[in-house]
């Protein structure tokens, strides 16, 4: 897997001695494979190959937000009533991610090897992973851990890919709170009595949430079919705590399409078309951060970004006003700064000109962050992204 390296596989000390002395290596007892399951079963692989962003009509606002999130590796929250298409959108995100770089491939393959999730004969992993654990998953299975031996959790196995947590408020409280560290730093530390292991967890975390336990609540009284009391709705929404929500970069509310809103025969963009823009935007970021320890906007430290990659004067004033007025927290301000760079990168790809984030890009980033509807006149926005 590593260019210019010769690898000799041995199973015993006697085989090591034989290799070093030039003798015929003796046979050794085979090592029992580690228990574990592949992150992507053949059914999941086949399912991902069968879906495409072109399957979804309308939703221009949400599709643009997903494109921005994918281009900068930003975390995403999709909310809305059941049947609106949240899961359909999330499972198509891997189709717009470019193939793994050589560095990402080696890193991810090492994680899967440590987890015992590689089958005999598997080579390097080359496509972005997708993991969607059920909401009854334990903290150890999601974050990592285990007794006797620390094993990577789903969040590490989805490194450089997508971890999708559907029905997020139904996850256990300790699991929800444990996401604070990986959402903030892109890695996770697993501490045991005799060891402490730090594992990468730099994939996109995509959360999906219904507005209430039954999933039928709608802001419009004409469309509301919810049977839940307001107390139940508040308790349900409160499970996504403030500190966790503050670490989410992009928030979008997904509304179900109504009859006549969209022409079902209209031409829509395919995943390949969007993936080309995402790959080009990521390439710009890799070049910009060539001398840094991070690769993408979503991974950039807020303090370094503000000092070495500042916004324009008008954009900085707008962002400071949003923080000082209480519209954003300081952490939220740093995340809007990252988003503004991704918006500018995608605008550069669409226009072919070099775009530096200023007031217009920050305005779009603010709306992506807060969940407000986008404006069709924003930089790089496709027509109809309202």
């Amino acid at each position: 897997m590593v260019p210019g390296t010769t690898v000799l596989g041995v199973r015993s000390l006697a085989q090591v001695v034989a290799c070093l002395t030039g003798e015929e290596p003796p046979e050794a007892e085979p090592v029992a494979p580690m228990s574990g399951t592949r992150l992507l079963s053949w059914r999941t692989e086949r399912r991902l190959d069968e879906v495409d962003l072109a399957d979804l009509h309308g939703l221009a606002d949400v599709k643009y937000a997903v494109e921005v999130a994918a281009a900068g590796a930003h975390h995403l929250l999709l909310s809305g009533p059941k049947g609106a298409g949240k899961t359909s959108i999330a499972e198509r995100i891997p189709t717009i991610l470019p193939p793994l770089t050589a560095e990402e491939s080696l890193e991810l393959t090492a994680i899967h090897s440590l987890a015992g999730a590689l089958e005999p004969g598997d080579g390097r992993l080359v496509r972005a992973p997708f993991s969607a654990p059920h909401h009854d998953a334990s903290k150890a299975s999601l974050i990592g851990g285990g007794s006797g031996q620390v094993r990577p959790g789903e969040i590490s196995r989805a490194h450089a890919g997508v971890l999708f947590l559907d029905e997020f408020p139904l996850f256990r409280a300790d699991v929800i709170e444990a996401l604070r560290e990986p959402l903030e730093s892109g890695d996770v530390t697993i501490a045991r009595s005799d060891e402490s292991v730090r594992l990468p967890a730099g994939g996109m975390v995509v959360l999906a949430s219904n507005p209430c336990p039954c999933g039928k609540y709608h802001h419009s009284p004409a469309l509301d079919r919810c049977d839940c009391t307001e107390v139940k709705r508040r308790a349900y929404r409160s499970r996504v705590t403030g500190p966790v929500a503050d670490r989410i970069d992009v928030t979008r509310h997904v509304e179900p399409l109504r009859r006549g809103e969209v022409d079902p025969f209209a031409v829509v963009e395919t995943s390949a078309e969007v993936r080309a823009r995402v790959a080009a935007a990521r390439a710009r970021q890799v070049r910009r951060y060539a001398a840094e320890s991070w690769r993408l906007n979503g991974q950039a430290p807020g303090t370094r970004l503000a000092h070495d990659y500042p916004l324009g004067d008008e954009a900085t004033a707008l962002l400071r006003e949003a923080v000082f007025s209480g519209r954003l927290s300081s952490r939220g301000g740093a995340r809007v700064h990252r988003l503004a760079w991704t918006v500018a990168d995608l605008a550069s790809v669409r226009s072919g000109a070099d775009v530096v984030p200023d007031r217009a890009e920050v305005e779009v980033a603010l709306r992506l962050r807060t969940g407000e509807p986008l404006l069709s006149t924003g930089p790089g926005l496709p027509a109809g992204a309202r």
Side-chain angles (χ1 to χ4, degrees):
M1 296 180 183
V2 181
T5 301
T6 300
V7 179
L8 302 176
V10 295
R11 286 179 172 165
S12 70
L13 187 58
Q15 288 186 342
V16 175
V17 173
C19 289
L20 294 176
T21 59
E23 301 175 0
E24 183 70 21
E27 292 294 326
E29 291 294 327
V31 178
M34 295 174 62
S35 61
T37 57
R38 291 173 57 84
L39 176 65
L40 292 179
S41 67
W42 71 270
R43 291 182 182 276
T44 305
E45 289 273 12
R46 185 174 178 181
R47 173 63 177 161
L48 293 179
D49 289 336
E50 292 175 347
V51 298
D52 194 281
L53 207 60
D55 303 335
L56 306 178
H57 292 268
L59 303 173
D61 177 293
V62 179
K63 287 181 178 179
Y64 174 74
V66 167
E67 182 178 336
V68 172
H74 302 286
H75 305 309
L76 173 67
L77 169 63
L78 300 172
S79 65
K82 65 179 184 179
K86 302 185 295 297
T87 301
S88 297
I89 294 166
E91 68 182 4
R92 284 162 174 77
I93 294 177
T95 68
I96 66 173
L97 295 178
L100 300 176
T101 64
E103 183 181 355
E104 290 171 337
S105 177
L106 287 172
E107 201 171 30
L108 186 65
T109 304
I111 294 171
H112 282 231
S113 177
L114 179 63
L118 295 179
E119 296 290 343
D122 281 351
R124 284 193 295 122
L125 303 179
V126 296
R127 73 182 299 175
F130 178 78
S131 176
H134 192 261
H135 57 72
D136 65 354
S138 66
K139 178 181 174 181
S141 66
L142 188 64
I143 303 300
S147 58
Q149 180 182 9
V150 173
R151 300 172 64 85
E154 294 295 324
I155 196 167
S156 291
R157 298 187 208 179
H159 178 65
V162 178
L163 175 68
F164 176 48
L165 303 180
D166 200 4
E167 302 287 355
F168 184 60
L170 296 182
F171 279 79
R172 290 167 33 177
D174 62 332
V175 173
I176 293 176
E177 292 304 310
L179 287 173
R180 290 192 190 189
E181 179 191 2
L183 285 173
E184 183 70 25
S185 63
D187 53 36
V188 59
T189 301
I190 305 169
R192 291 293 180 265
S193 58
D194 56 346
E195 65 178 336
S196 179
V197 179
R198 191 170 187 174
L199 297 171
M204 291 174 57
V205 177
V206 180
L207 311 178
S209 172
N210 291 332
C212 64
C214 75
K216 299 178 184 178
Y217 177 74
H218 199 284
H219 297 294
S220 172
L223 301 175
D224 185 19
R225 301 291 184 272
C226 178
D227 297 324
C228 304
T229 64
E230 182 60 28
V231 173
K232 286 185 177 180
R233 286 197 289 265
R234 288 179 181 176
Y236 183 80
R237 291 193 293 264
S238 68
R239 290 183 59 83
V240 184
T241 60
V244 172
D246 201 32
R247 288 166 168 81
I248 300 300
D249 302 290
V250 180
T251 301
R252 286 293 94 182
H253 186 75
V254 185
E255 290 284 354
L257 294 177
R258 305 178 201 176
R259 182 182 300 175
E261 281 187 336
V262 173
D263 178 6
F265 303 103
V267 178
V268 293
E269 285 189 314
T270 64
S271 290
E273 293 173 297
V274 178
R275 183 168 62 248
R277 289 198 299 269
V278 169
R282 287 193 169 197
R284 289 178 58 86
Q285 297 166 52
V286 171
R287 290 193 298 269
R288 182 165 61 244
Y289 302 133
E292 308 292 356
S293 60
W294 64 89
R295 296 185 288 257
L296 302 176
N297 293 327
Q299 303 163 349
T303 52
R304 287 291 309 279
L305 204 63
H307 184 268
D308 298 333
Y309 305 92
L311 303 170
D313 292 340
E314 288 190 21
T316 300
L318 178 61
L319 191 54
R320 285 177 177 172
E321 174 59 28
V323 173
F324 293 151
S325 66
R327 185 182 179 189
L328 292 175
S329 65
S330 297
R331 178 182 290 111
R335 293 185 177 273
V336 169
H337 191 152
R338 296 169 184 163
L339 278 172
W341 269 106
T342 306
V343 170
D345 288 330
L346 283 172
S348 299
V349 171
R350 288 179 178 273
S351 65
D354 192 19
V355 177
V356 177
D358 210 332
R359 184 181 181 89
E361 287 74 24
V362 170
E363 287 178 343
V364 173
L366 276 169
R367 289 177 176 272
L368 289 171
R369 165 76 180 181
T370 61
E372 298 175 62
L374 297 173
L375 302 175
S376 58
T377 56
L381 267 67
R386 297 181 180 274

